[in-house]
Amino acid sequence: MAGRRMSLGAKWQLDAALLSMPVDLTTLVSMSLTDPEAFFKDDCLHRMVKILLNESNSKRSDHNTKLDVLTILANLAKDQKNEEARDEIKVVLGGCNEWFDEYLTSEPIGGQDEHGMPIEPEMHKSMLLVLSRVYDYSLKTEDLLDLTNGNRQIALITVVSLLEDGETYTTELAQRKGAQPGQVAQWERKLVCERYERELVLQLCRLLRGFTHPTAYFSSMPSNPKQPAMADGEYRLGDMPSTSGGGGGGDEGELALYSVDHFSEEINSLLDLTLATRLVEKLAVALHDCLFGFEEDLDEVEGMDIHAQAGEDEKDGERRGQDADASGGASGVGERAAESRHLDKHEHQAVASVHAFLQNLYFYGTRRTAEYQQHLLADTILIPRLVLPYLDACVREAR
């Protein structure tokens, strides 16, 4: 019995964390990566949401504690093969009360903190991360606007911040030195980096289209329950209630109206934000790494093979020749892999959505358009990192 090791589950770790003020969930965040199944026992997730996420007392559950809860949920939802886990997380999120919704809306955004760093919508970023994974990366722009209470600027900043991050950082406890006779083991905190999955990057790019698409502001469809569903990436503002006066015809719904001046103001504000945050460059980098990063990896492998071949001892001519043949064969395989790599439907949709977003800013903006044009053509890496590689991929597919 003395030599038997005890496994401490998520429930035990949560009970221990609840003893601190405010609650520190560092150990549980690490466990969500190493042992996710432990959280679906003993009602652990429901307790975290009820006790910590819905807690208004900041001395018990502060901003960082709530971010840790959302990080745990996001980590648990990352496994797309575990549908039961995602369904359970949907139920858990349904337990968020109205106070948390108001807390999310009141999150301070913009400006700089006491360390001079820009204040980002961390809670919105975490919620978007959780919802994207739970709902199989099928969110639409209207879902994101619901999350930000209709604030397009906050919604766009949320997307930009996630694209810029490209990864999440968590802290885990690792044993540095084992226990010696008469001594205790030494532990240390390590920073763990988790790259965002390809599906998430493509989801974020598809969300952009709805910010500038005209149907987001002007609806040409009658406002009745028989309206067809909007296309992916689009959203509809609340339609005006139908009126039955004069000769309007009571059976026909009124068209949703939106001020052209207001539409121009919204587009101009999004254009200002795009320039200020260098969104174009971040989009080019994120999509290039997501769609074409494999080609650079193949080039690096091929270059390593060439250098290794050149460094062979000249006296071993026969072996060098054999290595050259093997290297050439491996290089040929790499070239064939690059040639056969075709973009799928979701990847094409992501590129088309980014194109529509950037183009609509230019078409519908009423100021700074010349500056924006110059920015696209000369101040960013959009053309060499996204436009040209994408055209090259399309040409390969057309052959």
Side-chain angles (χ1 to χ4, degrees):
M1 293 293 291
R4 186 176 180 180
R5 299 184 61 180
M6 180 182 298
S7 177
L8 303 179
K11 179 180 181 299
W12 189 95
Q13 297 285 3
L14 177 60
D15 291 337
L18 291 175
L19 300 177
S20 59
M21 296 285 283
V23 176
D24 183 4
L25 298 178
T26 302
T27 304
L28 284 166
V29 172
S30 301
M31 183 178 289
S32 66
L33 295 172
T34 58
D35 188 15
E37 296 297 331
F39 288 84
F40 299 96
K41 303 174 183 177
D42 303 317
D43 211 26
C44 185
L45 288 181
H46 292 272
R47 290 183 62 210
M48 277 199 303
V49 170
K50 180 179 179 180
I51 299 175
L52 300 176
L53 206 58
N54 292 333
E55 177 57 62
S56 60
N57 185 359
S58 60
K59 293 182 178 180
R60 178 173 178 81
S61 175
D62 60 6
H63 188 73
N64 290 330
T65 302
K66 292 177 172 58
L67 284 176
D68 285 343
V69 173
L70 295 178
T71 300
I72 291 171
L73 294 177
N75 290 340
L76 298 178
K78 192 173 181 179
D79 184 5
Q80 293 303 298
K81 297 180 181 179
N82 194 341
E83 295 184 5
E84 294 182 0
R86 296 201 307 277
D87 291 340
E88 181 67 18
I89 295 174
K90 291 178 185 178
V91 176
V92 169
L93 290 175
C96 296
N97 58 19
E98 295 182 359
W99 178 89
F100 177 73
D101 294 337
E102 296 176 359
Y103 177 83
L104 187 65
T105 305
S106 63
E107 182 183 24
I109 299 170
Q112 296 180 340
D113 59 16
E114 62 273 13
H115 303 293
M117 300 298 293
I119 299 177
E120 295 184 351
E122 297 295 342
M123 294 291 292
H124 288 90
K125 288 165 55 179
S126 298
M127 280 297 297
L128 179 57
L129 192 60
V130 174
L131 294 174
S132 295
R133 290 172 175 173
V134 167
Y135 289 95
D136 298 327
Y137 310 100
S138 61
L139 296 183
K140 297 183 180 181
T141 313
E142 63 179 354
D143 302 316
L144 177 56
L145 288 173
D146 286 341
L147 182 64
T148 61
N149 199 25
N151 191 315
R152 294 178 186 82
Q153 283 71 37
I154 295 178
L156 184 57
I157 291 175
T158 302
V159 174
V160 172
S161 300
L162 282 175
L163 286 172
E164 183 178 17
D165 293 345
E167 54 199 11
T168 55
Y169 292 93
T170 56
T171 303
E172 70 174 13
L173 293 175
Q175 190 178 56
R176 186 177 64 180
K177 185 178 180 181
Q180 301 296 328
Q183 299 179 353
V184 296
Q186 296 181 5
W187 297 79
E188 62 181 0
R189 294 178 183 268
K190 285 188 176 181
L191 197 63
V192 179
C193 174
E194 290 283 329
R195 294 284 298 176
Y196 287 152
E197 59 273 27
R198 163 186 164 277
E199 293 81 2
L200 177 63
V201 176
L202 298 178
Q203 159 83 96
L204 296 175
C205 293
R206 291 196 301 270
L207 288 175
L208 290 173
R209 181 174 180 264
F211 285 101
T212 59
H213 200 279
T215 54
Y217 305 87
F218 305 102
S219 172
S220 61
M221 300 299 294
S223 57
N224 58 55
K226 298 181 180 180
Q227 292 175 352
M230 300 297 288
D232 184 28
E234 301 176 8
Y235 59 90
R236 184 191 305 279
L237 296 179
D239 291 336
M240 298 177 61
S242 60
T243 57
S244 57
D251 294 335
E252 295 183 1
E254 294 291 333
L255 297 181
L257 303 179
Y258 201 87
S259 167
V260 174
D261 293 336
H262 191 186
F263 170 70
S264 298
E265 292 175 3
E266 290 286 354
I267 296 297
N268 287 335
S269 64
L270 294 176
L271 177 56
D272 292 339
L273 189 59
T274 299
L275 292 171
T277 60
R278 298 193 64 83
L279 171 60
V280 178
E281 189 156 340
K282 296 169 185 176
L283 282 172
V285 171
L287 268 181
H288 180 273
D289 293 344
C290 181
L291 304 182
F292 313 111
F294 74 97
E295 296 180 357
E296 293 183 353
D297 294 339
L298 289 174
D299 292 340
E300 290 179 3
V301 172
E302 182 177 354
M304 292 174 61
D305 291 340
I306 293 175
H307 289 302
Q309 176 184 341
E312 289 287 337
D313 189 355
E314 295 181 358
K315 294 182 180 180
D316 297 330
E318 183 179 354
R319 183 172 61 86
R320 186 172 66 252
Q322 294 174 354
D323 290 344
D325 294 338
S327 176
S331 177
V333 171
E335 292 176 359
R336 290 194 297 272
E339 290 290 332
S340 62
R341 168 68 161 87
H342 288 178
L343 303 180
D344 61 27
K345 178 183 70 173
H346 299 293
E347 292 170 329
H348 282 294
Q349 286 179 346
V351 176
S353 298
V354 169
H355 172 266
F357 171 78
L358 299 177
Q359 181 176 262
N360 289 340
L361 286 178
Y362 180 76
F363 283 165
Y364 305 125
T366 57
R367 56 181 172 80
R368 302 186 70 183
T369 53
E371 177 186 353
Y372 177 60
Q373 182 185 41
Q374 177 70 18
H375 176 71
L376 289 178
L377 296 177
D379 297 339
T380 70
I381 57 175
L382 176 68
I383 294 177
R385 298 286 284 181
L386 181 58
V387 176
L388 294 181
Y390 180 69
L391 291 177
D392 183 64
C394 291
V395 170
R396 287 204 308 263
E397 292 185 23
R399 289 177 180 173

